[in-house]
């Protein structure tokens, strides 16, 4: 197995990676809360998860990875206030939380597929693991870490030595930083909910030793990590926003329960900004993969855009930047396609290509330095066209996941849903012989950059 180095948020150091039980590497990634479409920032974090898993596999390890799907318990604040995000979306859309979860999960998985993000070996829904969460909370109470109030069971952070060690804030900071508690029965304002008691009108609730209720968000990941990976595992990933609350609380719960360190390496992906600022609905800059597709960018061009910035650096999304990435990605693929049928290189060039390939791999093994690896790929691509370049790129693509040597996909999944819906409407209009409506819809589809043609049994959509 090759040597790898990863930056550990816990120690703030780049460390040589030593798995607990080689050749297997166990990883846990905080998954999406499926109450809405995943935006390109969320997806950047899953591209980072994929960079890590592909690197581990390339280095000869067997990955045993878990990603959860949060379909209950994530409140509108990351703390314990507000409504459950799933419940709010369900009420708004007049659907059940399960319908909401199924709808957005399906789109999330489609996005992962379009971005060539390999699915973790285990994908687990929070609602399928409630008994494990209840047991976890009960054990924490038995050990004296959990206590009951009128509205739920809380974790007493003052009982856990080392609270704040991930974000490097001490107990006093945590207490001072916490907002004035809504629940005055909490022992400390920064104590967090392990389990919430449900009011009658709360849609999702389960029977527990503390009456009907639902889990806190943080306990989900601790309980699922334990169930699927055991009492110790190698790597835990997520976005940097999770460091101060979610992951701090996960550490407190899991280590209090086990009595020892549970996660060896904590890895966090930096945020994606849009036009230099935060993505927000009110600014109208929360983009999805479908939005990019409807503007003519392929999902893999977006993957390329993400991979050009190291996962620990902020990445500013602009359409200019995205266009630049799409052009570069297209050019690289074009060069490689001409190398496929090119003659072999002479010895000196072949040697140079082998060296560049080696240094691309070494860059990735050094804390996932994908931007440097892509740079080496480009240096190679600028050499006189030869078959060796194509072969090296095909090999490196196991790490890149960019389909560098694969003909472009014209899969149905690349057509935005909005375009498909318009085409469905147009089919209906045609069936009703409403030619004016049919023409208007065709024009609308055309404006979005797609051509619809009629077939025997329906229609076919192609990118212009
Ligand atoms: P959520 O669905 O809100 O639980 O988020 C899913 C993942 O996306 C988490 O790992 C977050 O840390 C991450 N995330 C949220 N916003 C951004 C962003 N702007 N850039 C990168 N990652 C993000
Ligand atoms: Zn989590």
């Amino acid at each position: 197995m090759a040597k790898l180095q990863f930056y550990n948020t816990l120690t703030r150091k780049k460390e040589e990676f030593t798995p607990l039980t080689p050749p297997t590497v166990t990883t846990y990634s905080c998954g999406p809360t499926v109450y809405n479409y995943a935006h390109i920032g969320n997806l950047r974090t899953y591209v980072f998860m994929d960079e890590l898993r592909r690197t581990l596999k390339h280095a000869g390890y067997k990955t045993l990875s878990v990603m959860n799907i949060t379909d209950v318990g994530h409140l509108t604040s990351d703390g314990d206030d507000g409504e459950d995000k799933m419940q709010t979306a369900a009420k708004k859309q007049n659907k059940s939380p399960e319908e909401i979860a199924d709808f957005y999960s399906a789109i999330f998985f489609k996005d992962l597929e379009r971005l060539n993000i390999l699915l973790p070996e285990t994908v687990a829904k929070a609602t399928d693991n409630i008994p494990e969460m209840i047991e976890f909370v009960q054990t924490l109470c038995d050990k004296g870490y959990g206590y009951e109030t009128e509205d739920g069971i809380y974790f007493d952070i003052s009982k856990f030595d080392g609270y704040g060690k991930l974000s490097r804030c001490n107990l006093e900071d945590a207490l001072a930083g916490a907002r004035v508690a809504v629940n005055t029965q909490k022992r400390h304002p920064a104590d967090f909910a392990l389990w919430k008691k449900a009011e009658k009108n709360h849609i999702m609730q389960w029977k527990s030793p503390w009456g009907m209720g639902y889990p806190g968000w943080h306990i989900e990941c601790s309980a699922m990590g334990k169930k699927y990976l055991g009492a110790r595992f190698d790597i835990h990933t997520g976005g940097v926003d999770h460091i101060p609350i979610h992951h701090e609380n996960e550490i407190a719960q899991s280590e209090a329960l086990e009595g020892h360190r549970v996660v060896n390496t904590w890895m966090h992906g930096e945020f994606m900004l849009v036009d230099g600022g935060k993505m927000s609905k009110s600014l109208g800059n929360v983009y999805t993969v479908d939005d990019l597709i409807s503007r003519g960018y392929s999902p893999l061009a977006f993957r390329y855009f993400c991979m050009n910035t190291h996962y620990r650096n902020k990445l500013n999304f602009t359409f200019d930047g995205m266009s630049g990435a799409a052009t570069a990605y297209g050019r690289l693929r074009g060069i490689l396609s001409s190398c496929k049928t090119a003659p072999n290189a002479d010895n000196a060039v072949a040697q140079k290509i082998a060296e560049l390939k080696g240094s691309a791999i070494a860059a990735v093994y050094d804390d996932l330095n994908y931007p440097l690896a892509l740079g080496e790929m480009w240096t190679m691509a600028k050499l006189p066209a030869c078959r060796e370049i194509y072969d090296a790129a095909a090999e490196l693509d196991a790490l890149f996941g960019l389909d560098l040597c694969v003909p472009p996909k014209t899969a149905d999944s690349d057509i935005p849903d909005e375009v498909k819906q318009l085409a469905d409407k147009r089919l209906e209009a045609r069936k009703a012989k409403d030619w004016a409506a049919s023409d208007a819809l065709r024009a609308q589809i055309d404006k979005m950059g797609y051509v619809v043609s009629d077939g025997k049994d329906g229609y076919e959509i192609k990118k212009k």
Side-chain angles (χ1 to χ4, degrees), residues 30-33 39 41-42 45-46 74 238-239 241-242 270-272 279:
C30 287
T33 308
H39 56 60
N42 300 134
T45 292
Y46 298 107
H74 194 166
D241 56 327
H242 285 345
E270 248 301 348
F271 254 38
M272 174 175 279
M279 264 182 260

Side-chain angles (χ1 to χ4, degrees), residues 29-32 34 38-40 42-50 53-54 67-69 104-120 122-123 289-290 299-300 302-303 401 403 409 413-414:
S29 299
C30 287
V34 283
H39 56 60
I40 53 175
N42 300 134
L43 291 164
R44 179 193 188 197
T45 292
Y46 298 107
V47 169
F48 150 58
M49 170 187 85
D50 194 51
R53 296 187 64 247
R54 283 177 183 267
M67 178 178 66
N68 66 292
I69 298 291
Y104 291 112
S105 300
I107 295 169
F108 175 70
F109 289 123
K110 192 171 94 179
D111 284 347
L112 296 192
E113 194 190 329
R114 295 194 287 199
L115 289 167
N116 272 353
I117 295 171
L118 305 173
L119 261 198
T122 301
V123 177
V289 170
D290 263 336
L300 290 183
F302 173 68
R303 182 182 171 104
D403 283 0
K409 282 185 198 157
S413 62
D414 285 346

Side-chain angles (χ1 to χ4, degrees), residues 273-285:
L273 309 173
V274 172
D275 295 326
K278 209 180 150 166
M279 264 182 260
S280 87
K281 281 224 173 85
S282 57
L283 294 172
N285 64 4

Side-chain angles (χ1 to χ4, degrees), residues 127 129-135 137-138 195-198 203-215:
T127 50
N129 290 281
I130 303 290
E132 287 80 359
M133 294 173 204
I134 293 175
E135 197 186 323
V137 176
Q138 183 64 64
W195 183 264
K196 293 278 269 192
K197 295 180 185 173
I203 311 174
M204 285 180 289
Q205 41 179 298
W206 290 264
K207 222 165 127 185
S208 80
W210 317 282
M212 296 301 287
Y214 57 98

Side-chain angles (χ1 to χ4, degrees), residues 28-332:
Y28 186 98
S29 299
C30 287
T33 308
V34 283
Y35 70 108
N36 207 337
Y37 298 99
H39 56 60
I40 53 175
N42 300 134
L43 291 164
R44 179 193 188 197
T45 292
Y46 298 107
V47 169
F48 150 58
M49 170 187 85
D50 194 51
E51 288 177 348
L52 172 66
R53 296 187 64 247
R54 283 177 183 267
T55 301
L56 292 167
K57 286 173 195 291
H58 192 273
Y61 293 109
K62 196 171 151 269
T63 54
L64 181 56
S65 302
V66 177
M67 178 178 66
N68 66 292
I69 298 291
T70 298
D71 55 355
V72 64
H74 194 166
L75 304 187
T76 40
S77 93
D78 274 2
D80 305 315
D81 315 330
E83 229 191 6
D84 188 305
K85 290 184 180 186
M86 298 301 302
Q87 173 148 323
T88 313
K91 278 189 193 159
K92 244 192 213 157
Q93 299 183 32
N94 211 9
K95 293 201 171 117
S96 69
E98 292 78 14
E99 283 171 322
I100 294 288
D102 288 349
F103 179 79
Y104 291 112
S105 300
I107 295 169
F108 175 70
F109 289 123
K110 192 171 94 179
D111 284 347
L112 296 192
E113 194 190 329
R114 295 194 287 199
L115 289 167
N116 272 353
I117 295 171
L118 305 173
L119 261 198
E121 286 74 15
T122 301
V123 177
K125 285 205 283 192
T127 50
D128 286 340
N129 290 281
I130 303 290
E132 287 80 359
M133 294 173 204
I134 293 175
E135 197 186 323
F136 206 114
V137 176
Q138 183 64 64
T139 313
L140 286 176
C141 291
D142 295 345
K143 292 192 167 196
Y145 291 100
Y147 63 93
E148 187 166 359
T149 74
E150 256 166 36
D151 79 349
I153 310 299
Y154 285 82
F155 187 94
D156 184 340
I157 63 164
S158 70
K159 293 257 166 75
F160 177 68
D161 235 11
Y163 188 85
K165 62 183 169 186
L166 187 67
S167 48
R168 305 243 163 138
C169 81
N170 58 31
L171 193 59
E172 282 76 46
D173 296 337
L175 293 178
R179 272 163 299 164
V180 177
V182 178
N183 175 356
T184 48
Q185 294 182 337
K186 283 207 299 192
R187 292 183 190 160
H188 313 100
D191 287 355
F192 58 90
L194 297 165
W195 183 264
K196 293 278 269 192
K197 295 180 185 173
E199 293 177 0
K200 273 222 173 69
N201 62 354
H202 201 273
I203 311 174
M204 285 180 289
Q205 41 179 298
W206 290 264
K207 222 165 127 185
S208 80
W210 317 282
M212 296 301 287
Y214 57 98
W217 172 40
H218 319 298
I219 200 71
E220 296 179 4
C221 292
S222 285
M224 288 191 270
K226 179 175 172 60
K227 174 173 171 183
Y228 295 106
L229 300 174
R232 295 177 199 269
F233 56 92
D234 292 308
I235 302 176
H236 195 312
T237 76
V240 286
D241 56 327
H242 285 345
I243 299 172
I245 301 178
H246 185 49
H247 289 165
E248 205 67 85
N249 293 351
E250 262 192 73
I251 291 179
Q253 297 164 150
S254 298
E255 296 194 1
L257 185 112
E258 305 290 359
H260 57 70
R261 182 161 167 180
V262 172
V263 176
N264 273 354
T265 307
W266 284 89
M267 294 178 74
H268 291 96
E270 248 301 348
F271 254 38
M272 174 175 279
L273 309 173
V274 172
D275 295 326
K278 209 180 150 166
M279 264 182 260
S280 87
K281 281 224 173 85
S282 57
L283 294 172
N285 64 4
V286 183
Y287 302 113
T288 62
V289 170
D290 263 336
D291 292 332
L292 298 186
I293 294 173
S294 58
R295 288 174 188 240
Y297 301 110
S298 76
L300 290 183
F302 173 68
R303 182 182 171 104
Y304 179 89
F305 173 79
C306 290
M307 289 176 55
N308 258 302
T309 298
H310 191 262
Y311 77 95
R312 286 198 287 118
N313 290 333
K314 289 193 177 65
L315 170 56
N316 186 26
F317 180 90
T318 61
F319 279 103
D320 277 352
M322 184 62 231
S323 296
T327 306
Y329 175 61
R331 268 187 54 214
L332 183 58

